[in-house]
Amino acid sequence: AAPVRFTAFGDYGAGGDAEYAVARVAAAQDPAFTAVPGDNSYLVAAPVLFDHNIFRPMRPLLAEGPFVATLGEHDLAYGGGGAVASALGLPNGGDRYVFTHGGVRIIALGLEMDAGDVPFVRAALARPGARHTYLLVHRPPAPANPVLAVARGHVVAVIAGHNHRYERRVIGGIPEFTL
């Protein structure tokens, strides 16, 4: 019944001043975890870049809790994303997994969600225990996406990235935050 606080942002990973600032501000919120809808390392997710692009700037935030992440195009461009998924400790290579912390459940769907995700989402929604469920995906879904029909009434919101701008909208009857 205790509240769970988490942060969310996407399309980071250039290792610049902006990443350091975001990590400091987000860590100050004392989150249990961070939800990241992909593009964790720019321009590619090559292991030689991880310290510069991810781990040094995000150190204060990673000390608060894990990154619950999906993989975006920049992550997938190098070796199919395996290196960044491994470095961040993502289950199932960062594609289609469920993370639960307290009463919060994150259903991570990868680069984009489509009809192939419907059985996975149905099964994840059927699991007991979560009071608040979110879908996490890199590319924002289209209004007719079949996953939205299954999730409507069962999820708090969709968290997406990719567009490099913040948007709040309702899509397919579900609030969506594009970060």
Side-chain angles (χ1 to χ4, degrees):
V4 174
R5 182 180 304 205
F6 69 94
T7 60
F9 56 84
D11 295 84
Y12 75 104
D17 291 342
E19 284 80 13
Y20 282 90
V22 166
R24 279 192 307 273
V25 170
Q29 304 305 307
D30 194 27
F33 63 90
T34 298
V36 182
D39 284 350
N40 299 279
S41 182
Y42 281 100
L43 286 170
V44 296
V48 70
L49 300 173
F50 292 170
D51 281 341
H52 179 268
N53 290 356
I54 302 171
F55 296 115
R56 278 191 218 126
M58 295 294 135
R59 180 169 294 157
L61 187 54
L62 286 163
E64 297 293 326
F67 274 26
V68 180
T70 62
L71 303 179
E73 293 88 353
H74 292 277
D75 302 317
L76 295 167
Y78 184 89
V84 73
S86 178
L88 292 175
L90 305 180
N92 199 29
D95 188 42
R96 286 190 187 158
Y97 68 94
V98 178
F99 172 86
T100 303
H101 182 91
V104 175
R105 174 184 297 138
I106 305 290
I107 302 173
L109 296 175
L111 183 66
E112 55 190 349
M113 55 186 180
D114 57 31
D117 292 312
V118 168
F120 181 81
V121 171
R122 276 196 179 115
L125 291 172
R127 293 183 184 180
R131 293 178 38 229
H132 306 286
T133 299
Y134 297 83
L135 297 177
L136 181 67
V137 63
H138 180 63
R139 292 181 185 158
N145 190 296
V147 173
L148 298 176
V150 170
R152 190 177 305 114
H154 302 284
V155 302
V156 174
V158 174
I159 300 170
H162 186 64
N163 291 343
H164 294 250
R165 65 180 177 268
Y166 176 70
E167 298 176 328
R168 292 183 312 182
R169 61 186 182 151
V170 176
I171 185 153
I174 301 173
E176 179 198 304
F177 299 94
T178 303
L179 312 171

